Amino acid sequence: MKIKEIKAKNLNAKRFIEEKVEDIREAVGSGIAINALSGGVDSSVVTALGHRALGKQLKSYFINNGIMREGEPEKVKAAFKKLGIHVEVLDASREFFAALKGITDPEEKREAITQTFYKKVFGRLVVKSGARYLLQGTILTDVDETVAGIKRQHNVFEQLGIDPQKAFGYKILEPLIELRKDGVRKVGAGLGLPKSMFDRIPFPGPALAARVIGEVTPERIALVRKATAITEAALTNVKAFQYMAILHEDRVTGTRGNRRVFGNQIEIRCWDSLDARTAKPTRLKFDILERIAAKITKEIPEVVSVTYNITAKPTSTIEAV
Ligand code: XMP
């Protein structure tokens, strides 16, 4: 089914929210729905929308898959508590790392995360909670890229001909599917969310695994997590669409204390974009880049080299995996 886009400039957020609240209530009836919050813009907005529609009939979980950014589970739980929304944090990191072990192919990685998330962890939650619906923040860009075969977004099923009811045993509701990121932000503002929640830079469902080239191990995630924290802190005041640190698989020779070391490389990306369909590298000041490189190599001993991506999307994509 072709999805009709609602452009941000034509979006009446108040009316959109009222309509979606009605739709969600009608679909779920007196039943239970669940959703997983990653702390990203889309899942935060869909959680708030779902709670407005369903109140206590919606159970929200933060699945700690072990590949989130620094301090995310606690930060997200606390931010939603302030909104009166209870989020239960579940630690499933071992299960995710076990599923990712030995995998280096990008699509296989995404598939391993998808299967672990939807079939295993969520499958169990659905049984436990008695839910028949999963509320999810899929947006139109996710669908476009999956259908175009650019990248398999981990949250797109129906467009790939997969029936979630048959595959996983529950129905998926996707109230944001006609929107792109700029529209989702308008809905976030319309729902009264704090700006820090809907104006955050986008973060992908496959989390830091989308930023580790090669095998995703707890050690490699810890490394990219540190580099991510440094990069995000350095670039928060730059008005860019998204920025990130990527851990490369290839190593390079560097020096530490007059000794040659064969160390890791981090690539920084920073994007100007409206809706993620196309993007250009931000023309960052060179001294900002130098400061990031110095901090990363100082605080992460395993890293000896830091680079900046200067390629636009296309041919690049925003994430590296
Ligand atoms: P790419 O890398 O395809 O990213 O240029 C486009 C936008 O989508 C985000 N992204 C994802 N979001 N699941 C998501 O929910 C995914 O699998 C996924 N992959 C990429 C990415 O961060 C960027 O904003």
Side-chain angles (χ1 to χ4, degrees):
M1 187 187 62
K2 179 105 177 81
I3 302 158
K4 201 167 168 332
E5 175 174 0
I6 305 175
K7 290 207 163 38
K9 66 174 179 353
N10 302 325
L11 174 70
N12 177 332
K14 190 165 172 278
R15 218 175 53 219
F16 180 90
I17 293 165
E18 282 166 8
E19 278 173 21
K20 295 300 168 188
V21 162
E22 272 310 302
D23 292 352
I24 296 168
R25 282 185 186 151
E26 203 180 301
V28 177
S30 58
I32 296 285
I34 58 175
N35 84 307
L37 183 57
S38 69
V41 179
D42 309 335
S43 78
S44 295
V45 171
V46 91
T47 300
L49 185 65
H51 275 272
R52 179 160 303 182
L54 300 171
K56 286 203 178 331
Q57 281 171 267
L58 176 65
K59 310 232 173 290
S60 295
Y61 296 90
F62 183 101
I63 311 289
N64 186 358
N65 50 16
I67 50 180
M68 293 292 182
R69 283 172 292 183
E70 215 164 77
E72 276 296 286
E74 303 75 27
K75 271 189 228 159
V76 172
K77 188 178 164 94
F80 274 86
K81 192 170 176 205
K82 278 197 191 146
L83 299 173
I85 296 175
H86 173 70
V87 175
E88 199 174 320
V89 178
L90 288 179
D91 184 8
S93 45
R94 274 196 190 188
E95 223 164 324
F96 278 89
F97 281 121
L100 286 162
K101 198 169 166 42
I103 301 178
T104 53
D105 177 80
E107 295 300 296
E108 282 179 28
K109 237 183 245 180
R110 282 165 181 265
E111 187 59 18
I113 294 170
T114 302
Q115 292 299 329
T116 309
F117 189 83
Y118 290 96
K119 223 172 189 164
K120 292 199 168 163
V121 179
F122 247 87
R124 281 200 304 270
L125 272 181
V126 169
V127 172
K128 198 178 119 195
S129 65
R132 284 191 299 122
Y133 293 92
L134 167 60
L135 201 66
Q136 181 164 272
T138 318
I139 65 170
L140 200 50
T141 317
D142 302 339
V143 177
D144 285 349
E145 303 223 329
T146 299
V147 172
I150 296 171
K151 229 173 241 190
R152 159 85 149 87
Q153 304 274 335
H154 83 297
N155 50 0
V156 175
F157 298 107
E158 285 189 14
Q159 292 74 22
L160 291 172
I162 299 168
D163 178 352
Q165 179 81 54
K166 279 200 193 123
F168 312 120
Y170 47 81
K171 284 205 173 73
I172 299 187
L173 301 177
E174 297 170 313
L176 308 179
I177 204 151
E178 297 139 305
L179 307 178
R180 297 194 188 273
K181 196 66 84 188
D182 43 355
V184 177
R185 292 201 161 110
K186 263 179 97 167
V187 174
L191 284 165
L193 297 186
K195 202 167 182 311
S196 56
M197 214 179 251
F198 66 78
D199 219 18
R200 283 188 102 173
I201 52 167
F203 190 69
L208 296 174
R211 300 175 183 175
V212 168
I213 303 173
E215 191 181 0
V216 177
T217 62
E219 296 74 27
R220 301 191 78 217
I221 285 289
L223 202 158
V224 85
R225 182 180 284 130
K226 278 191 221 155
T228 301
I230 294 170
T231 307
E232 289 193 357
L235 298 178
T236 35
N237 294 327
V238 172
K239 291 268 163 280
F241 177 81
Q242 196 169 359
Y243 34 85
M244 63 198 64
I246 291 154
L247 174 62
H248 278 238
E249 190 171 26
D250 286 345
R251 290 191 295 157
V252 290
T253 299
T255 62
R256 279 207 182 271
N258 291 330
R259 287 196 23 221
R260 289 165 72 86
V261 279
F262 199 43
N264 289 281
Q265 300 189 72
I266 288 286
E267 175 190 337
I268 307 297
R269 294 184 178 190
C270 182
W271 297 107
D272 292 337
S273 175
L274 201 58
D275 55 20
R277 279 187 292 179
T278 59
K280 280 190 175 164
T282 307
R283 292 188 166 223
L284 291 175
K285 289 218 173 72
F286 212 83
D287 47 350
I288 297 184
L289 287 166
E290 281 179 333
R291 276 201 298 275
I292 296 175
K295 202 161 168 65
I296 287 177
T297 48
K298 179 164 177 253
E299 293 184 11
I300 315 176
E302 299 94 326
V303 178
V304 294
S305 166
V306 178
T307 61
Y308 186 57
N309 174 60
I310 49 166
T311 320
K313 171 182 179 178
T315 53
S316 181
T317 54
I318 287 182
E319 304 289 346
V321 168

